Each structure stands twice: as C-alpha cells, then as structure tokens.
Amino acid sequence: MKREIHAEWTKLRTLAGTGWVLLAIPVLTVALGAAAGAATTCASARCNHDVVKLALTGVQLSQVVVAVLAVLAITGEHTTGLIRTTFTAMPRRFTVLGAKAAVLAGPTLVAAIAGVLGSVLAGRLILPGRGFTPAHGYPLLSLTDGLVLRAAAGSVLYLTLIAVLCLGVAAIVRDSAAAMGVVLGLFYLFPILIHLVSDPDWQRLLFRISPTNAGLAIQSSMNLDLLPIGPWPGLGVLAAWAAAALLAGGLLVRLRDV
C-alpha cells in the first residue's frame, strides 16, 4: 500500500482547510471540557459526578469535526470527478480505500492525543477549584490512575474509530451533505431514541448497539456495574460499526463504475 498511502497523504495534506480542521479537534476538545468543568460544582462528598467523563466532555463535540474531515477526504473527489483519475492511476479500489483510512487515522490520532491530554490537564487545574477535591472524594486527575488512563486512551481510540466509521459512510453515500446527515443521525439518533423509549430493556439494547453511546462508555470511571455495557466492550461496538462501514464502502467502491 506504499504507493496508495503516499498518494492519499498528498491529497489529504493539500486539501483546503485540513490543517485548520485538525487544529480544531484538540482546541474544541479542551475548550468544551474546560467549560463543562468550570460550570460544574461539588459542594459535598455526595455530588456523585464522574469527573473523568466530565473532563473529557469535549470529545462529544470534536467528533463532529472528525466527521467533517473524514467525509471531505473522499466525497470531494466524487464532487470534482477526480475519483476517476484516482482509480485509473490506482485500480485496486479496496486498497485505495484502505489507504485513505490509514492516512486519515494517523493525523486524527495525533490530534486526539493532543486534545485528550489537554482536557485531562485542564480538568486537573480547574476541577479542584470547583469543589472536586480529595476531601470530597475526588483525587487530582492523573494518567497514573488506571481509570483515567483507560478513559484517556479510550477517548483517543474513540475519535480515531469515528474517523474510520465516517469515511466508510462517505464511501457508501458519496455525497458530502448526505454523508454528514447519515453520520449525525448515527451520532444523535440513538441517544434521542433512548430517551424517548420508556421500556428499560429497549433502552438498554439501544444503548448497547449505539456507536456513540456504547463507545463513550470507555470514559466512565464510576458505577461501572450499572452501565448497560462495559467500557472496552462498548468501544468494541464502535469498532464493529467502523469495520462494517469500511467493508461495505469498499465493496460498493469495487462494484460501482466510480
């Protein structure tokens, strides 16, 4: 895949706005996490907030930016017709899509690491001033804590898998607006349905199969036994969605004329 990866990397880094979009991922992740921490207070030992998840709230916003980057990474070529040139120069279409996924995942991973580390640092600095102190049962956030490290590493993987999922969706749909509509539906339709459905068994099922709800379980550090799905199995659900979308996109790319 060396030739394909080199070509796709050249296209991604020369795509208008790529640098700004990648910069927006850590900026928005840290900004929203810091804002959420600054807006939340803990006056006693019974405030029952998951501070790790609170500090990483920004991931829920930056995933939209990741989706935009992933969608534009492929639909732009369909819009301009350059996808024909791509497949003429590199006829192994499934390999081309795999190269796009690899090239997209790399910068997303780096941006996600910066955003998550910044969020943990912001939480460590801001949350004690909002009452989340050792006296109230909340030690300072630290990556030496296994729960914090798992949530941080999982959040980085979460954003990377979101990029792959959105690339697969865009390969299936091929239109920027339609792809973003499908992606936003996957992001927010399941959470809405979970709140609309009154049956607890259906709520639990919807949570377990939702790519975002299940995936974000990786951030939880409290009441893990009460979660509909565990942190790592939840991230596995998102990985399954990403793999299925990329596989379906690859199959359709091979079957279509362009």
Side-chain angles (χ1 to χ4, degrees), residues 52 56 59 108-109 112-117 120 142-143 145-161 215 217-220 231-232 235 238:
V52 180
L56 296 171
V59 169
T108 301
L109 182 71
I113 290 173
V116 167
L117 291 179
V120 172
S142 172
L143 291 178
D145 183 327
L147 291 176
V148 178
L149 180 60
R150 184 254 292 154
S155 294
V156 171
L157 293 175
Y158 175 88
L159 287 175
T160 306
L161 288 170
I218 195 68
Q219 295 181 344
S220 299
W232 288 113
L235 196 66
L238 175 59

Side-chain angles (χ1 to χ4, degrees), residues 3-254:
R3 185 169 67 105
E4 287 84 357
I5 287 177
H6 182 269
E8 293 304 324
W9 170 241
T10 301
K11 284 188 282 187
L12 183 65
R13 67 183 176 82
T14 56
L15 187 67
T18 296
W20 290 108
V21 173
L22 287 171
L23 179 62
I25 294 171
V27 169
L28 292 177
T29 303
V30 176
L32 185 58
T40 309
T41 58
C42 180
S44 69
R46 297 183 177 180
C47 48
N48 200 34
H49 285 289
D50 190 332
V51 291
V52 180
K53 198 165 189 174
L54 183 64
L56 296 171
T57 302
V59 169
Q60 298 181 42
L61 177 59
S62 58
Q63 67 180 354
V64 179
V65 182
V66 171
V68 171
L69 178 63
V71 168
L72 292 180
I74 188 168
T75 57
E77 288 187 79
H78 283 285
T79 301
T80 60
L82 288 176
I83 195 69
R84 296 179 182 275
T85 304
T86 295
F87 289 150
T88 300
M90 298 177 291
R92 295 186 299 173
R93 297 187 176 192
F94 204 94
T95 303
V96 171
L97 186 61
K100 284 183 180 292
V103 166
L104 177 66
T108 301
L109 182 71
V110 173
I113 290 173
V116 167
L117 291 179
S119 296
V120 172
L121 177 60
R124 182 182 176 90
L125 297 175
I126 294 172
L127 291 174
R130 306 302 297 167
F132 295 97
T133 61
H136 290 161
Y138 292 99
L140 292 176
L141 292 182
S142 172
L143 291 178
T144 59
D145 183 327
L147 291 176
V148 178
L149 180 60
R150 184 254 292 154
S155 294
V156 171
L157 293 175
Y158 175 88
L159 287 175
T160 306
L161 288 170
I162 285 291
V164 176
L165 168 61
C166 295
L167 180 70
V169 170
I172 294 170
V173 178
R174 296 187 294 180
D175 178 76
S176 299
M180 282 305 302
V182 173
V183 165
L184 293 178
L186 288 175
F187 285 178
Y188 303 114
L189 182 59
F190 279 102
I192 292 173
L193 288 176
I194 290 171
H195 285 91
L196 290 179
V197 173
S198 57
D199 188 309
D201 292 332
W202 276 103
Q203 287 181 336
R204 193 175 186 86
L205 175 62
L206 288 171
F207 191 101
R208 285 178 168 179
I209 64 174
S210 163
T212 52
N213 288 88
L216 287 171
I218 195 68
Q219 295 181 344
S220 299
S221 64
M222 293 177 59
N223 304 318
L224 299 182
D225 56 325
L226 300 179
L227 291 174
I229 191 169
W232 288 113
L235 196 66
V237 170
L238 175 59
W241 275 89
L246 196 64
L247 178 60
L251 292 175
L252 288 175
V253 163
R254 290 187 65 179

